[in-house]
Amino acid sequence: MPIDPTLPYDDNNIFAKILSGEIPSAKVYEDDWAYALEDINPQAEIHTLVIPKGRYVSWDDFSAKASAEEITGFVRAVGEVARAKGLVEPGYRLMANIGHHGGQEVPHLHVHIFGGQPLGPMIWRQK
Ligand code: 5GP
């Protein structure tokens, strides 16, 4: 069920619990600003999630309220994870879902990194 990205941050969301260590995850990277983990239900050969450590509901919330340091740290972490996975030369795709039309299900900002195979058309279109 897609979330409402205009609601306040919910400290009980699954990624908050992963960040606090309450719920285990397959960690692939961590620094002061970001944490990366393998998606539990991968949609491509490589499907990794990068989340900021701060309490941000969505890309909208983050881009409006995060500090310059948080934004820089998070963006660099996404690039670092993709490089570490060898995705630059073959190419990859980044995705951040926001709210209902985006199909966002977890109310803590996350960027999906997809790769390891050709990824097909950019967006699904109803015939
Ligand atoms: P969204 O639709 O919000 O952009 O994507 C949420 C993603 O989080 C989905 O791809 C889903 O598989 C993943 N996910 C949901 N719960 C968990 C979890 O407990 N652990 C991990 N690693 N991924 C999760």
Side-chain angles (χ1 to χ4, degrees), residues 3 14-15 18 23-26 37-43 47 49 95-98 102-108 110 112 114:
I3 60 105
I14 197 97
F15 292 165
I18 283 173
I23 290 178
S25 65
L37 62 156
E38 302 300 4
D39 196 289
I40 205 167
N41 182 23
Q43 303 296 309
H47 185 178
L49 303 170
M95 185 174 82
N97 293 320
I98 297 105
Q104 181 183 2
E105 296 197 335
V106 179
H108 181 116
H110 46 285
H112 298 254
F114 297 110

Side-chain angles (χ1 to χ4, degrees), residues 15-57:
F15 292 165
K17 290 180 176 176
I18 283 173
L19 278 175
S20 71
E22 199 178 324
I23 290 178
S25 65
K27 172 171 124 175
V28 297
Y29 178 84
E30 182 173 14
D31 64 20
D32 288 348
W33 308 110
Y35 184 93
L37 62 156
E38 302 300 4
D39 196 289
I40 205 167
N41 182 23
Q43 303 296 309
E45 286 295 323
I46 293 174
H47 185 178
T48 303
L49 303 170
V50 189
I51 65 181
K53 288 200 166 167
R55 299 164 71 256
Y56 297 100
V57 175

Side-chain angles (χ1 to χ4, degrees), residues 33 54-56 62 65-75:
W33 308 110
R55 299 164 71 256
Y56 297 100
F62 186 72
K65 297 185 191 146
S67 68
E69 272 191 318
E70 287 176 299
I71 292 171
T72 302
F74 180 65
V75 171

